[in-house]
Amino acid sequence: MAKAKKYVYFFGGGVAEGRTQMRQLLGGKGANLAEMTNLNIPVPPGFTITTEVCDLYYKRGGTYPPGLDKQIDAGIRKLEKLTGKTFGHGENPLLVSVRSGAAVSMPGMMDTVLNLGLNDETLPALIQLTGNERFAWDAYRRFLQMFGDVVLGMEHEHFEAALQKVKDRRGAKLDTDLDADGMKQVVAEFKKVYRRDRKSFPQDARKQLEASIDAVFGSWNNPRAVTYRRINDIRGLLGTAINVQIMVFGNMGETSGTGVAFTRDPATGANVFYGEYLMNAQGEDVVAGTRTPLPIKTLKAVNPKVYKQLVGIRSVLERHYRDMQDVEFTIERGTLYMLQTRTGKRTVFAAVKMAVDMVRQKWITPEQALMRLDAGQLEQLFAPIFDAKEIAKVAPLTSGLNASPGAASGQVVFGADDAERWAVKGHEVILVRIETSPEDIGGMNVAKGILTSRGGMTSHAAVVARGMGTPCVAGAGDLRINYKKKTLTVKGRAFRQGDWISIDGFTGRVYGQRIATHPSEILQVLDGKLKPTQSQIYRNYRAVMKWADEHRHLAVRTNADTPADTARAVRFGAEGIGLTRTEHMFFEGKRIVAMREMILADDEAGRKKALKKLLPLQRKDFIGIFKALKGRPATIRLLDPPLHEFVPHDAKGQKEMARAMGVSARKIREKVESLHETNPMLGHRGCRLGIVYPEITAMQARAIFEAAWAVRGARPEIMVPLVGHVKELTHQKHIILKALEAVKKARKAKRVPFEFKIGTMIEVPRGALTADEVAAEAEFFSFGTNDLTQMGCGFSRDDAGTFLRHYVEELGIYEYDPFQTLDRTGVGELVRIAVEKGRSVRKELKIGICGEHGGDPSSIEFCHLAGLDYVSCSPYRVPVARLAAAQAAITHGKPKKGK
Amino acid sequence: MAKAKKYVYFFGGGVAEGRTQMRQLLGGKGANLAEMTNLNIPVPPGFTITTEVCDLYYKRGGTYPPGLDKQIDAGIRKLEKLTGKTFGHGENPLLVSVRSGAAVSMPGMMDTVLNLGLNDETLPALIQLTGNERFAWDAYRRFLQMFGDVVLGMEHEHFEAALQKVKDRRGAKLDTDLDADGMKQVVAEFKKVYRRDRKSFPQDARKQLEASIDAVFGSWNNPRAVTYRRINDIRGLLGTAINVQIMVFGNMGETSGTGVAFTRDPATGANVFYGEYLMNAQGEDVVAGTRTPLPIKTLKAVNPKVYKQLVGIRSVLERHYRDMQDVEFTIERGTLYMLQTRTGKRTVFAAVKMAVDMVRQKWITPEQALMRLDAGQLEQLFAPIFDAKEIAKVAPLTSGLNASPGAASGQVVFGADDAERWAVKGHEVILVRIETSPEDIGGMNVAKGILTSRGGMTSHAAVVARGMGTPCVAGAGDLRINYKKKTLTVKGRAFRQGDWISIDGFTGRVYGQRIATHPSEILQVLDGKLKPTQSQIYRNYRAVMKWADEHRHLAVRTNADTPADTARAVRFGAEGIGLTRTEHMFFEGKRIVAMREMILADDEAGRKKALKKLLPLQRKDFIGIFKALKGRPATIRLLDPPLHEFVPHDAKGQKEMARAMGVSARKIREKVESLHETNPMLGHRGCRLGIVYPEITAMQARAIFEAAWAVRGARPEIMVPLVGHVKELTHQKHIILKALEAVKKARKAKRVPFEFKIGTMIEVPRGALTADEVAAEAEFFSFGTNDLTQMGCGFSRDDAGTFLRHYVEELGIYEYDPFQTLDRTGVGELVRIAVEKGRSVRKELKIGICGEHGGDPSSIEFCHLAGLDYVSCSPYRVPVARLAAAQAAITHGKPKKGK
């Protein structure tokens, strides 16, 4: 018979069979216990049952592979030998803990059994050995309760009631008020609970262990754990490992204790030892909050030897792991034991600082530093934050989606107009809407924060807020908003216009009061309000970005519609504009009037007259943008949204428009109705506008060319949107080039003094599928992956909320929301087809992406793999994209391109 | 130097250089003149300048290839030699006609010049020769006018005015009132017109010819001709050829004449000589309608020799061409000349009859007969027609799209309810709506015809009407419909409910009065109201269908939702159902009540309760359908449309619903609002319903399985709609199979006594792109090319009207409306990808199409090429599909399949 596979890895006595690199097999906890053992750090000995066993346990329908039992027995014997203790009997009984530990930390999600090995025989021995009767009875009653609860699935409340009974009987308020005799009575009551529940407590320690191992493996797939893995996007694990380890006790009296520590400050990244502890306590007491733990530095006074040892271990672990560690320790009668070490969670501020510091310390390379950062989090560096003291004191009112990061506090207003009026008067406002629309831009622009009751992560409010860097909580379903009465009701609490609320775009929380906020330091530096020397955070950010730029292959551009946004994005490192939405220029002030005149016009002449008014305004916009870009290229998209977005849909707005235009309200209403579409997403928009009304394209092209003539170094790239058929592009290109000829002629110019390109957005599946035909006319492609996702998957972004969350969160039909993270299999296939077909006819075709995905790290990785030239995203995501692009390059190397 | 290419082809003297197969090069007219010459049929000699020259003329910017001139000169010399006449001078002058003639007939679209060669020198010779001074001067003035108009672009009116002046001066009413002297004066006046217009008339015949050739080639691209080619879908031609031919005159006196004839009756196909003629007339006189032509048989009395000769030629031509010919002839002084022969246009009735007759005569093979029919027209065989006499007397009021063929006359009603009420009382009604919706099904069902003011060829009204075989005119933009007042206004004329109108679904015309109609004979036979022996039309149809079935590889199924539709489709030859839309069963009577209860339900329990009421109804539907199919398979699509389609959107309807449901109108309103979607096409529909509400799928699956159990030979194929991700299918399949287990269990059955399949509709681009994943779960694919087109091209079918007509008709961006004819390049690519990927993982995957395209001949050809197994279409299109599938098989042979 072949020798059974190795399922059990021993650690103890300064030697371990595992090591930290084996975390997939041993779990994070097990691998690191082994590693610490090998580093001669004091670790209670034990053994790890591998994750493979967990996998086999499920595959074999709840049974174990042959040979496992023997390996466990051998582990126990080794522990007995090493410690001189005996398992389940004898004078020096061996007590063990049984803990889960997967390759990725899932704190508190799976089960644990402590004090295993206690029974009616070993209890007296423990009393004898420790001379601490109360401790021993307490340990036994804890074990009885935990075993009953975790292993046998007994009701938690039955034990609580029995404990309460004894406490009542003895007039004890707290558990700690019970003495040894009291604890003894609790044990007796707990045994009665077992009998009442018809459960038997195994006196045989080996049976206790077997049952506990079953329970812990079983807890891998409890609903809580499954949900946790889904929410935290933990995939591809075999299962959990199990660590069976000698018990050490922090509650053996005043020379015992327990604590947790970080090798650096996890909030700021400062290189200080950071942690807390409690004497005469067990680990759960530190967490439970019944006693207040003490700062780690005070341990120096309590036990200088142990403190010094701890500081030494901190140093060994950091040097060894070259990353900040999160450790747990126990002091048993003056002896220090390390129970766990793992890479510590940290804020983005700490992450950046530690990465930079450790590169400076030459502990890690810049590549490692870059890979260690969470690109998606980086944006949080620029968001305002709540005052730590104030936020600690308040409870949230409700919550929604954390749609755009940052803390904001302000007075409630319900309309964009109100927001602008109040802002002008110096108020700080939070714009509260059921949902927002392009007409609200003005109000959104002045608001400190945006709160909506409807819409998802890619709703209008969310997208625009992220673009503006304004904190936003979207889709807070508990809000009841009444526009007419201007009231907001949340769980019975009413707010009126002007009342203060606060929102936390990091977490999605909503607060019913004013809370102080502080602005981002980096932003202050970038905006010139703070000097670089005044902000360490900024300097660390700058270092990380420099490394990122040195590694990435993808260029990073920005989506920006105004000179101010453009300038900010350039400060964030944007190498050009990937998307200027020209229609965003049509909503402000008198522009909307001219736009509406154009829409109302009955014929081409009327439209041309209105467009003439828009021309100088557009030209001015482009001049501002070209100037802000200082020679960088700008992809400018021609008019895209359906015309009905420019007209008011309510009777009041229509009346106002009628007055302003000098026509009847009825005419306005009829026009608005005639513009109505059943599916506007698939309607008369994009280049279809410029094709039916070529004069619009002509005006926009003229404005672009005239502006480019006016700014030295302007590099316009004119983008025709929504092309599904090459002939659409041909048609528009012809009009654009005719406009150029006219501008040239007016200037009596022989040549055009600037570079320009004409290309298209690939956002209709047909455009991608026929990219070879399209590329014959296009000098560049820019993937509009929002629309490509809408049409490719058949999801309306505005409506998908009704089922998409269900799809992603409950059923896992899509692994991610395809509007947040590009669907590589389906939409990605369209991208791959288009890149391949496009480059097959035009090798030098420039290809980018300008949808929301351009700022999503996983999607950026895809873009790198697909061989794109650049990604474009909102200004605040530019640093995110720079980092994500570098990470993709480090992970995958140089992409293959069709060159 | 290489010898110049042959550009000129001579015919005359019983020998021609061309033949009928050279029509691409010589044009239809030229090729057939050559062919007739070779058949020894009397044709005035001449020569043809090839279409290649036309092509080169445009490619060379209006100049001719070297060598052409010489070849033309040679042609003229040959004509001179053959006839003994001289061109442009001499006593026996050679006069020629210069006519266009492309490979495809474009009647009247291009220019013609007659009597060329007349000048001041040849005119006296012509007088001398003919002894007919008036004739000669008339010929000269005609030539002057035609040359000025056609070649020199002079104003037609100037000539008309000059002619009128002479007539006035001489007191003549008609042109024929002018004698020789009058005509001479006209010539003089015409010459003055030339001088006034500063144009010179070339006396040199060779120059006349040159300029005329220029003009005719130029007319190939005049706007009229371009439009004609676009409308008639004429593509791929090089250009027009030009025929220069000796003039013969039908107006040389009472022994001369001219006529047109068909070798069979083009309306009925009867094997009789059919035509008309005029003595002492030119061709244009027959067409102009100033004189009434005589039936051809009367020519026997006028000139028995010529008549006999004509009858002989009819016989020679028919035997030779083996098809019905449309001929033109002229009799010059008792001598017969044939001026043209071509395949004659015919009605679908005539086409079928002649095809069958000629196969019986063994003139053509069944394959040739099939290829000769226009599959798209076939449907017209089943439509009612207007009484020929009545329709001849009335003028149309307006027109719209010919959305569903057939003639209908009835009283105007504006609502589906009214339609049903009126129909019950025995009225024949035309349902007039702005547009229709699924709620109108009942009314549409009873209406004789449907007329809408909005919507295209694939609007709801059009699709449903074609499905029902009900005549429909859609998108008649001139209609002003007021539902409230129940009035229809068309160009100022008002109609009220109950007024009579008529619509012609063949042509799109709308008439403002009652017109008698006759039902289709074939339908009467199929419906058992007429015996096959009583209808020759039916027997011919049956023969054609038999041949089609023998040749085609594609199976043909039908889209049918009721037992009655199914039975009719089976009579039309459907081999099964390709699409049953189960939701169509939810609108009638109390079903809609239960459906609405389900929609209103707050939880699963409530939905299940309502679904329980629907279960027996659905089961009954399926039993009826399975019975009607008699062992043929039925693809049944699970619930597809968004729920909001089942609830009323107007206040009145909501109030009624509230009353019926016993809840507040507010609750209904809120529910309806909550169901509102911005883009319902991309919203919560298809399998997304069955995934969020699995109980719906469970009920439908149960109904299907229970019905299948009840009908021997039932073969259900359950189709999950709108699958974009394989996991959607997996999810639904699980529920379907669970329902099957339950049904099995309830029957204590060990096995399932019928065949069934579970598959999916491929209608989301992502579904096509990931077809390999999907096919792992699907036993069949059915392409929903309507939605695939909507999403693939990004066109909302409901909204595309605003730009799509512009795209197709004005700009030619798409060659065809992609909703009518499958877009092979784009949407077709998705089909090809899906077929290839699908069969790569499941060789025996059954693949069909069930969109509107399944009944379109060009799309059916594509399906054949793409290797599909079947097409499915509305019952009335089944014969169309059978024929089109046979044509595709004959043209392309057996398709390649991934087997």
Side-chain angles (χ1 to χ4, degrees), chain B residues 5-18:
Chain B
K5 200 167 174 188
K6 185 167 179 64
Y7 295 121
V8 171
Y9 286 73
F10 193 84
F11 54 89
V15 186
E17 295 176 330

Side-chain angles (χ1 to χ4, degrees), chain A residues 238-292:
Chain A
L238 281 174
T240 184
I242 289 179
N243 299 291
V244 178
Q245 196 178 12
I246 293 287
M247 282 296 302
V248 291
F249 295 96
N251 57 345
M252 272 199 186
E254 290 312 317
T255 57
S256 299
T258 190
V260 297
F262 291 88
T263 57
R264 304 197 181 195
D265 183 335
T268 65
N271 192 353
V272 294
F273 193 29
Y274 181 97
E276 41 196 22
Y277 72 100
L278 275 173
M279 295 311 281
N280 197 15
Q282 282 197 308
E284 58 211 77
D285 301 326
V286 180
V287 183
T290 41
R291 289 163 64 191
T292 305

Side-chain angles (χ1 to χ4, degrees), chain B residues 410-665:
Chain B
Q411 290 173 278
V412 172
V413 291
F414 294 101
D417 294 349
D418 286 334
E420 294 191 68
R421 260 194 300 278
W422 285 55
V424 165
K425 289 184 201 153
H427 293 280
E428 307 200 323
V429 298
I430 303 286
L431 178 61
V432 179
R433 302 281 302 167
I434 295 169
E435 52 196 342
T436 62
S437 75
E439 296 170 48
D440 299 330
I441 292 287
M444 295 172 82
N445 209 13
V446 298
K448 290 285 159 194
I450 297 159
L451 172 61
T452 69
S453 62
R454 212 145 72 186
M457 292 300 283
T458 51
S459 61
H460 179 265
V463 171
V464 172
R466 282 199 293 274
M468 292 173 165
T470 300
C472 174
V473 171
D478 286 339
L479 308 188
R480 294 286 167 274
I481 297 165
N482 187 321
Y483 286 143
K484 242 185 216 161
K485 295 187 186 162
K486 298 201 176 178
T487 58
L488 160 68
T489 317
V490 192
K491 296 177 179 171
R493 194 169 149 197
F495 295 82
R496 297 170 59 180
Q497 193 139 304
D499 287 349
W500 282 82
I501 58 168
S502 301
I503 61 171
D504 187 339
F506 292 116
T507 61
R509 288 191 187 124
V510 179
Y511 299 88
Q513 63 266 82
R514 182 175 193 166
I515 307 171
T517 62
H518 304 296
S520 147
E521 270 183 30
I522 297 179
L523 224 55
Q524 292 188 63
V525 176
L526 290 176
D527 290 351
K529 290 171 192 158
L530 206 66
K531 288 184 190 157
T533 49
Q534 292 175 293
S535 171
Q536 201 199 45
I537 293 175
Y538 169 75
R539 293 197 310 275
N540 289 334
Y541 156 79
R542 193 177 53 186
V544 166
M545 285 296 107
K546 187 170 158 279
W547 298 327
D549 292 346
E550 286 164 5
H551 285 87
R552 66 190 162 90
H553 297 299
L554 282 169
V556 176
R557 294 191 182 190
T558 191
N559 301 350
D561 310 329
T562 64
D565 276 0
T566 309
R568 166 158 293 177
V570 167
R571 288 197 289 277
F572 278 135
E575 294 159 277
I577 285 182
L579 175 63
T580 284
R581 284 157 290 218
T582 52
E583 63 271 14
H584 281 193
M585 305 167 178
F586 289 151
F587 285 103
E588 285 167 29
K590 60 181 170 182
R591 300 178 173 205
I592 188 85
V593 177
M595 189 66 194
R596 286 171 174 177
E597 272 174 27
M598 192 211 73
I599 293 170
L600 271 187
D602 294 317
D603 54 14
E604 194 185 319
R607 280 191 297 274
K608 281 190 170 166
K609 199 177 139 198
L611 286 165
K612 216 170 168 179
K613 295 181 191 168
L614 289 171
L615 174 72
L617 304 169
Q618 281 249 302
R619 187 174 49 216
K620 205 179 130 204
D621 291 328
F622 295 135
I623 287 176
I625 286 173
F626 291 147
K627 281 185 177 165
L629 281 170
K630 295 181 181 145
R632 296 174 184 86
T635 307
I636 299 168
R637 181 176 72 183
L638 300 179
L639 188 68
D640 183 61
L643 296 182
H644 70 77
E645 284 195 9
F646 298 95
V647 291
H649 290 259
D650 57 317
K652 197 183 145 211
Q654 290 175 1
K655 261 185 209 154
E656 277 172 22
M657 177 171 162
R659 228 184 347 262
M661 306 270 118
V663 298
S664 73

Side-chain angles (χ1 to χ4, degrees), chain B residues 138-208:
Chain B
D138 185 24
Y140 197 22
R141 69 101 188 174
R142 285 179 195 247
F143 178 46
L144 281 169
Q145 178 169 357
M146 210 172 240
F147 192 88
D149 179 10
V150 166
V151 181
L152 301 179
M154 293 164 67
E155 291 296 328
H156 192 67
E157 289 75 32
H158 296 179
F159 291 107
E160 291 299 328
L163 174 62
Q164 195 58 47
K165 196 167 141 193
V166 177
K167 277 155 78 178
D168 289 349
R169 200 188 297 155
R170 303 178 69 92
K173 279 183 91 174
L174 300 173
D175 296 2
T176 43
D177 294 340
L178 290 175
D179 60 8
D181 206 43
M183 284 299 174
K184 196 172 169 180
Q185 284 186 21
V186 173
V187 167
E189 287 296 331
F190 279 8
K191 288 186 171 174
K192 279 188 206 161
V193 171
Y194 272 80
R195 281 194 295 276
R196 268 204 306 275
D197 286 2
R198 294 166 193 279
K199 300 278 183 184
S200 76
F201 170 76
Q203 288 288 330
D204 180 343
R206 190 61 179 82
K207 284 198 176 137
Q208 291 172 0

Side-chain angles (χ1 to χ4, degrees), chain A residues 862-895:
Chain A
F862 170 81
C863 292
H864 175 90
L865 289 168
L868 266 55
D869 296 302
Y870 69 88
V871 297
S872 185
C873 53
S874 62
Y876 286 88
R877 301 291 285 180
V878 166
V880 171
R882 288 159 74 193
L883 175 55
Q887 291 175 334
I890 293 167
T891 308
H892 302 287
K894 205 172 170 176

Side-chain angles (χ1 to χ4, degrees), chain A residues 678-682 688 691 725 727-728 764 766 769 792-796 799 807 811-814 823 825 830, chain B residues 678-682 688 691 725 727-728 764 766 769 773 792-794 796 799 807 811-814 823 830:
Chain A
T678 312
N679 296 291
M681 159 72 209
L682 305 174
R688 299 164 193 174
I691 287 171
H725 196 298
K727 287 189 193 167
E728 293 175 312
V764 176
R766 196 187 188 283
L769 292 162
C793 297
F795 294 148
S796 163
D799 306 311
Y807 262 43
L811 300 173
I813 289 178
Y814 280 83
D823 158 41
T825 315
L830 286 173
Chain B
T678 311
N679 295 292
M681 160 71 210
L682 306 174
R688 298 163 193 176
I691 286 171
H725 196 298
K727 288 190 194 167
E728 294 175 311
V764 177
R766 197 187 188 282
L769 293 162
E773 294 182 2
C793 297
S796 163
D799 306 310
Y807 263 44
L811 301 173
I813 288 177
Y814 280 83
D823 158 41
L830 286 172

